[in-house]
Short mmCIF file of all heavy atoms in Angstrom, two decimals:
data_model
loop_
_atom_site.label_atom_id
_atom_site.label_comp_id
_atom_site.label_asym_id
_atom_site.label_seq_id
_atom_site.Cartn_x
_atom_site.Cartn_y
_atom_site.Cartn_z
N ALA A 25 68.13 140.46 101.01
CA ALA A 25 67.87 139.21 100.29
C ALA A 25 69.16 138.40 100.24
O ALA A 25 70.25 138.94 100.08
CB ALA A 25 67.39 139.51 98.87
N ALA A 26 69.02 137.09 100.44
CA ALA A 26 70.18 136.22 100.44
C ALA A 26 70.84 136.26 99.06
O ALA A 26 70.18 136.09 98.04
CB ALA A 26 69.75 134.80 100.79
N ASN A 27 72.15 136.47 99.05
CA ASN A 27 72.89 136.53 97.80
C ASN A 27 73.42 135.14 97.49
O ASN A 27 74.09 134.52 98.30
CB ASN A 27 74.05 137.52 97.94
CG ASN A 27 74.75 137.76 96.61
OD1 ASN A 27 74.51 137.07 95.63
ND2 ASN A 27 75.60 138.77 96.58
N SER A 28 73.10 134.65 96.31
CA SER A 28 73.54 133.30 95.94
C SER A 28 74.53 133.34 94.77
O SER A 28 74.81 132.31 94.18
CB SER A 28 72.33 132.44 95.57
OG SER A 28 71.63 133.00 94.47
N ASP A 29 75.06 134.51 94.45
CA ASP A 29 76.01 134.63 93.37
C ASP A 29 77.42 134.36 93.92
O ASP A 29 77.96 135.18 94.67
CB ASP A 29 75.95 136.04 92.77
CG ASP A 29 76.89 136.21 91.57
OD1 ASP A 29 77.73 135.31 91.35
OD2 ASP A 29 76.80 137.23 90.89
N PRO A 30 78.03 133.23 93.55
CA PRO A 30 79.35 132.89 94.09
C PRO A 30 80.39 133.98 93.83
O PRO A 30 81.26 134.22 94.67
CB PRO A 30 79.72 131.60 93.34
CG PRO A 30 78.43 131.01 92.92
CD PRO A 30 77.54 132.18 92.64
N GLN A 31 80.27 134.65 92.68
CA GLN A 31 81.25 135.68 92.33
C GLN A 31 81.21 136.83 93.34
O GLN A 31 82.24 137.23 93.88
CB GLN A 31 80.95 136.21 90.91
CG GLN A 31 82.09 136.96 90.28
CD GLN A 31 82.87 136.08 89.32
OE1 GLN A 31 82.84 134.87 89.42
NE2 GLN A 31 83.58 136.70 88.39
N LEU A 33 79.82 136.84 96.30
CA LEU A 33 80.11 136.34 97.64
C LEU A 33 81.61 136.18 97.86
O LEU A 33 82.15 136.55 98.89
CB LEU A 33 79.39 135.01 97.87
CG LEU A 33 77.87 135.08 98.01
CD1 LEU A 33 77.26 133.68 97.97
CD2 LEU A 33 77.50 135.77 99.32
N LEU A 34 82.29 135.62 96.86
CA LEU A 34 83.73 135.39 97.01
C LEU A 34 84.48 136.71 97.10
O LEU A 34 85.44 136.85 97.87
CB LEU A 34 84.25 134.55 95.83
CG LEU A 34 85.74 134.16 95.90
CD1 LEU A 34 86.05 133.41 97.19
CD2 LEU A 34 86.11 133.30 94.69
N VAL A 37 84.05 137.87 100.49
CA VAL A 37 84.89 137.07 101.40
C VAL A 37 86.32 137.59 101.36
O VAL A 37 87.01 137.67 102.38
CB VAL A 37 84.86 135.58 101.00
CG1 VAL A 37 85.89 134.78 101.78
CG2 VAL A 37 83.47 134.99 101.23
N ASP A 41 84.53 139.46 104.77
CA ASP A 41 83.12 139.40 105.16
C ASP A 41 82.75 137.97 105.57
O ASP A 41 82.59 137.09 104.72
CB ASP A 41 82.24 139.87 103.99
CG ASP A 41 80.79 140.03 104.39
OD1 ASP A 41 80.34 139.35 105.33
OD2 ASP A 41 80.09 140.83 103.74
N GLU A 42 82.61 137.73 106.86
CA GLU A 42 82.30 136.39 107.36
C GLU A 42 80.88 135.95 106.97
O GLU A 42 80.63 134.78 106.72
CB GLU A 42 82.45 136.35 108.88
CG GLU A 42 83.88 136.55 109.34
CD GLU A 42 84.03 136.44 110.84
OE1 GLU A 42 83.08 135.95 111.49
OE2 GLU A 42 85.08 136.83 111.37
N ARG A 43 79.99 136.92 106.92
CA ARG A 43 78.61 136.60 106.55
C ARG A 43 78.56 136.11 105.09
O ARG A 43 77.83 135.19 104.76
CB ARG A 43 77.74 137.84 106.71
CG ARG A 43 76.26 137.56 106.76
CD ARG A 43 75.53 138.86 107.10
NE ARG A 43 74.18 138.61 107.50
CZ ARG A 43 73.32 139.56 107.84
NH1 ARG A 43 73.74 140.82 107.85
NH2 ARG A 43 72.10 139.27 108.19
N ALA A 44 79.37 136.76 104.25
CA ALA A 44 79.43 136.34 102.85
C ALA A 44 80.01 134.93 102.74
O ALA A 44 79.58 134.14 101.91
CB ALA A 44 80.28 137.33 102.05
N PHE A 45 80.98 134.64 103.60
CA PHE A 45 81.56 133.30 103.56
C PHE A 45 80.53 132.25 103.94
O PHE A 45 80.48 131.17 103.35
CB PHE A 45 82.76 133.20 104.51
CG PHE A 45 83.37 131.83 104.54
CD1 PHE A 45 84.07 131.33 103.45
CD2 PHE A 45 83.20 131.01 105.65
CE1 PHE A 45 84.61 130.05 103.46
CE2 PHE A 45 83.74 129.73 105.67
CZ PHE A 45 84.45 129.24 104.57
N SER A 46 79.69 132.56 104.92
CA SER A 46 78.64 131.64 105.31
C SER A 46 77.70 131.37 104.14
O SER A 46 77.31 130.24 103.87
CB SER A 46 77.86 132.21 106.50
OG SER A 46 76.80 131.35 106.86
N GLY A 47 77.38 132.45 103.41
CA GLY A 47 76.52 132.29 102.24
C GLY A 47 77.21 131.51 101.14
O GLY A 47 76.60 130.64 100.49
N LEU A 48 78.48 131.79 100.93
CA LEU A 48 79.24 131.08 99.89
C LEU A 48 79.36 129.60 100.23
O LEU A 48 79.25 128.74 99.35
CB LEU A 48 80.64 131.71 99.76
CG LEU A 48 81.54 131.10 98.69
CD1 LEU A 48 80.95 131.33 97.29
CD2 LEU A 48 82.95 131.71 98.77
N TYR A 49 79.58 129.33 101.50
CA TYR A 49 79.67 127.94 101.96
C TYR A 49 78.41 127.18 101.56
O TYR A 49 78.48 126.08 101.00
CB TYR A 49 79.86 127.93 103.48
CG TYR A 49 80.04 126.57 104.08
CD1 TYR A 49 81.31 126.14 104.49
CD2 TYR A 49 78.97 125.70 104.27
CE1 TYR A 49 81.49 124.89 105.05
CE2 TYR A 49 79.15 124.45 104.82
CZ TYR A 49 80.41 124.04 105.22
OH TYR A 49 80.58 122.80 105.76
N ASP A 50 77.26 127.76 101.85
CA ASP A 50 75.99 127.09 101.55
C ASP A 50 75.83 126.85 100.05
O ASP A 50 75.26 125.83 99.64
CB ASP A 50 74.82 127.94 102.06
CG ASP A 50 74.76 127.98 103.59
OD1 ASP A 50 75.36 127.10 104.24
OD2 ASP A 50 74.15 128.92 104.12
N VAL A 51 76.33 127.78 99.24
CA VAL A 51 76.16 127.68 97.79
C VAL A 51 77.06 126.61 97.18
O VAL A 51 76.66 125.86 96.29
CB VAL A 51 76.43 129.05 97.12
CG1 VAL A 51 76.48 128.89 95.60
CG2 VAL A 51 75.35 130.05 97.52
N VAL A 52 78.31 126.51 97.67
CA VAL A 52 79.29 125.67 96.98
C VAL A 52 79.59 124.34 97.67
O VAL A 52 80.22 123.46 97.07
CB VAL A 52 80.63 126.42 96.78
CG1 VAL A 52 80.39 127.70 96.01
CG2 VAL A 52 81.34 126.67 98.09
N VAL A 53 79.17 124.15 98.92
CA VAL A 53 79.55 122.93 99.63
C VAL A 53 79.07 121.67 98.92
O VAL A 53 79.77 120.66 98.86
CB VAL A 53 79.04 122.97 101.10
CG1 VAL A 53 77.52 122.93 101.16
CG2 VAL A 53 79.65 121.81 101.89
N GLY A 54 77.86 121.74 98.33
CA GLY A 54 77.33 120.57 97.62
C GLY A 54 78.16 120.20 96.40
O GLY A 54 78.61 119.05 96.27
N PRO A 55 78.38 121.14 95.46
CA PRO A 55 79.20 120.83 94.30
C PRO A 55 80.63 120.41 94.65
O PRO A 55 81.18 119.51 94.02
CB PRO A 55 79.20 122.16 93.51
CG PRO A 55 77.95 122.85 93.93
CD PRO A 55 77.76 122.48 95.36
N VAL A 56 81.22 121.06 95.66
CA VAL A 56 82.58 120.70 96.05
C VAL A 56 82.62 119.26 96.57
O VAL A 56 83.48 118.47 96.17
CB VAL A 56 83.11 121.68 97.14
CG1 VAL A 56 84.39 121.13 97.77
CG2 VAL A 56 83.38 123.04 96.52
N PHE A 57 81.70 118.92 97.45
CA PHE A 57 81.67 117.56 98.00
C PHE A 57 81.45 116.54 96.89
O PHE A 57 82.08 115.47 96.87
CB PHE A 57 80.58 117.42 99.06
CG PHE A 57 80.49 116.03 99.63
CD1 PHE A 57 81.42 115.58 100.56
CD2 PHE A 57 79.49 115.16 99.21
CE1 PHE A 57 81.35 114.29 101.07
CE2 PHE A 57 79.41 113.87 99.71
CZ PHE A 57 80.33 113.44 100.65
N GLY A 58 80.56 116.87 95.95
CA GLY A 58 80.28 115.93 94.85
C GLY A 58 81.53 115.65 94.02
O GLY A 58 81.81 114.49 93.68
N THR A 74 86.61 118.28 101.72
CA THR A 74 85.67 119.38 101.45
C THR A 74 85.87 120.52 102.45
O THR A 74 85.92 121.70 102.07
CB THR A 74 84.22 118.88 101.51
OG1 THR A 74 84.02 117.89 100.49
CG2 THR A 74 83.24 120.02 101.31
N GLN A 75 86.01 120.17 103.73
CA GLN A 75 86.23 121.20 104.74
C GLN A 75 87.57 121.90 104.52
O GLN A 75 87.68 123.12 104.67
CB GLN A 75 86.19 120.57 106.14
CG GLN A 75 84.84 120.01 106.54
CD GLN A 75 83.73 121.04 106.41
OE1 GLN A 75 83.86 122.18 106.84
NE2 GLN A 75 82.63 120.64 105.81
N VAL A 77 89.05 122.35 101.67
CA VAL A 77 88.89 123.23 100.50
C VAL A 77 88.23 124.54 100.91
O VAL A 77 88.69 125.63 100.52
CB VAL A 77 88.06 122.53 99.41
CG1 VAL A 77 87.68 123.52 98.31
CG2 VAL A 77 88.81 121.35 98.83
N LEU A 78 87.18 124.44 101.70
CA LEU A 78 86.45 125.65 102.08
C LEU A 78 87.29 126.54 103.02
O LEU A 78 87.18 127.77 102.97
CB LEU A 78 85.12 125.26 102.71
CG LEU A 78 84.16 124.64 101.68
CD1 LEU A 78 82.98 123.96 102.34
CD2 LEU A 78 83.67 125.71 100.70
N VAL A 79 88.10 125.92 103.85
CA VAL A 79 89.02 126.72 104.67
C VAL A 79 90.03 127.44 103.77
O VAL A 79 90.37 128.61 103.98
CB VAL A 79 89.76 125.81 105.69
CG1 VAL A 79 90.90 126.58 106.34
CG2 VAL A 79 88.79 125.32 106.75
N VAL A 81 89.49 128.35 100.73
CA VAL A 81 88.76 129.43 100.06
C VAL A 81 88.73 130.67 100.96
O VAL A 81 88.98 131.79 100.51
CB VAL A 81 87.32 128.99 99.72
CG1 VAL A 81 86.47 130.19 99.30
CG2 VAL A 81 87.33 127.94 98.61
N TRP A 82 88.46 130.46 102.24
CA TRP A 82 88.41 131.59 103.18
C TRP A 82 89.77 132.27 103.29
O TRP A 82 89.89 133.49 103.29
CB TRP A 82 87.95 131.09 104.54
CG TRP A 82 88.11 132.09 105.65
CD1 TRP A 82 89.03 132.05 106.65
CD2 TRP A 82 87.35 133.29 105.85
NE1 TRP A 82 88.90 133.14 107.47
CE2 TRP A 82 87.87 133.92 107.01
CE3 TRP A 82 86.29 133.89 105.17
CZ2 TRP A 82 87.36 135.11 107.49
CZ3 TRP A 82 85.78 135.09 105.66
CH2 TRP A 82 86.31 135.69 106.81
N LEU A 96 83.11 130.01 90.87
CA LEU A 96 82.83 128.59 91.07
C LEU A 96 83.92 127.74 90.42
O LEU A 96 84.36 126.74 90.98
CB LEU A 96 81.46 128.23 90.49
CG LEU A 96 80.99 126.79 90.75
CD1 LEU A 96 80.93 126.52 92.25
CD2 LEU A 96 79.62 126.56 90.12
N ILE A 99 86.97 127.79 92.67
CA ILE A 99 86.77 126.95 93.86
C ILE A 99 86.84 125.47 93.49
O ILE A 99 87.47 124.67 94.21
CB ILE A 99 85.42 127.28 94.53
CG1 ILE A 99 85.45 128.69 95.11
CG2 ILE A 99 85.09 126.26 95.62
CD1 ILE A 99 84.11 129.21 95.59
N MET A 100 86.25 125.10 92.37
CA MET A 100 86.27 123.69 91.96
C MET A 100 87.67 123.24 91.57
O MET A 100 88.03 122.08 91.75
CB MET A 100 85.29 123.48 90.80
CG MET A 100 83.84 123.75 91.17
SD MET A 100 83.22 122.75 92.55
CE MET A 100 82.72 121.27 91.66
#
Side-chain angles (χ1 to χ4, degrees):
N27 188 349
S28 60
D29 183 349
Q31 197 99 337
L33 289 169
L34 184 56
V37 171
D41 188 333
E42 294 183 13
R43 197 173 195 180
F45 178 70
S46 178
L48 182 64
Y49 183 104
D50 291 340
V51 171
V52 303
V53 66
V56 167
F57 178 77
T74 298
Q75 294 306 314
V77 170
L78 291 166
V79 168
V81 168
W82 169 252
L96 186 58
I99 293 170
M100 297 302 275

